[in-house]
Amino acid sequence: MKNNILIVLPLFNQGVFLQAAIPYLEQIDFADILIVDDGSTDETDDLLDECSWIKAVKVDNSIGIGAVVTVAFEYARDYEYDTMILIDSSSNEYFLVVDSILEHIKYGYDVISASRILENYDYTNFATETIKVFEAVAGAVNNETSFNITDPLSSTMAININAMKYFELTENDHSVFLQIWIQAAHFGLTVLEIPASCDKGFGSELELYEDPLGRFLSFIETEKELYKKDTSH
């Protein structure tokens, strides 16, 4: 029997992560599990073959985190799940926030994001430049959406699939998370940010870009022209 919740793990050569996660995943009875394998060449395939109860989508060549999120969203929509919970695969510690996400889903929020910054008292230990980038990107998102987001690039979040039925996710990189925030404001979705259970991997996404701040701010400028904030709510 299909569950109404789909937990999604995007993986790229993270067989070690998956191996450590399997004991936890085996205990989950409230959700189906989907692995979106972004072209891994390690032992991920073999592990998935051993775990036939895990649903899997594999792409032959890496398509990027944004495209992986889009694949997962389309899967959840096509198979008529109510909620998709995306988990950051930097650490198994991110699973610890799932109970909190489930508790808040009951209150009807459309998007619940786990912030690696909110209530993180070690936040100031991160590199100054990393903090500057996140604060600038968060400021730009909040200015456009009137949300109060601290971690706009978090990849641990729950999404109401029906509420996102009109979304157009087109970005292959981390800009997809900015796209979610801007379109959420445009379509009048309710959002909530809660503290993440850890901050592993925080800032590592910036290393993928020559000019991450320029990339993300430029994207926000373009996206906000396409999706103006809904003022009817």
Side-chain angles (χ1 to χ4, degrees), residues 48-156:
L48 290 175
D49 287 341
E50 297 171 6
C51 301
S52 58
W53 48 274
I54 294 179
K55 303 177 187 302
V57 174
K58 179 177 174 61
V59 296
D60 293 331
N61 299 300
S62 179
I63 55 177
I65 183 62
V68 165
V69 170
T70 302
V71 167
F73 168 68
E74 291 176 348
Y75 184 101
R77 180 196 62 200
D78 293 347
Y79 285 92
E80 299 182 337
Y81 287 92
D82 294 335
T83 303
M84 177 178 83
I85 301 178
L86 186 69
I87 301 292
D88 188 329
S89 52
S90 298
S91 169
N92 283 316
E93 291 183 40
Y94 283 105
F95 287 121
L96 298 176
V97 79
V98 170
D99 285 345
S100 181
I101 287 175
L102 292 173
E103 183 63 31
H104 286 89
I105 283 175
K106 299 176 183 177
Y107 296 104
Y109 291 101
D110 297 314
V111 180
I112 301 172
S113 180
S115 170
R116 298 162 294 178
I117 298 173
L118 195 64
E119 296 185 14
N120 182 352
Y121 302 110
D122 295 325
Y123 172 57
T124 55
N125 293 334
F126 291 113
T128 301
E129 189 59 32
T130 297
I131 293 174
K132 286 182 178 179
V133 170
F134 272 84
E135 289 181 348
V137 174
V141 169
N142 293 333
N143 184 61
E144 173 58 26
T145 64
S146 297
F147 295 151
N148 189 25
I149 302 303
T150 62
D151 188 359
L153 299 178
S154 172
S155 58
T156 298

Side-chain angles (χ1 to χ4, degrees), residues 65-66 152-153 171-178 205 208-209 216:
I65 183 62
L153 299 178
E171 297 305 298
N172 292 341
D173 62 14
H174 287 83
S175 298
V176 74
F177 299 112
L178 308 178
E205 56 269 71
L208 300 174
Y209 308 93
F216 296 138

Side-chain angles (χ1 to χ4, degrees), residues 9-11 14-22 35 87-93 95:
L9 303 175
L11 300 182
Q14 290 167 291
V16 173
F17 167 87
L18 178 57
Q19 180 74 68
I22 287 173
I35 302 291
I87 301 292
D88 188 329
S89 52
S90 298
S91 169
N92 283 316
E93 291 183 40
F95 287 121

Side-chain angles (χ1 to χ4, degrees), residues 2-18:
K2 182 179 77 67
N3 285 291
N4 293 324
I5 297 174
L6 182 68
I7 291 180
V8 178
L9 303 175
L11 300 182
F12 176 65
N13 288 335
Q14 290 167 291
V16 173
F17 167 87
L18 178 57

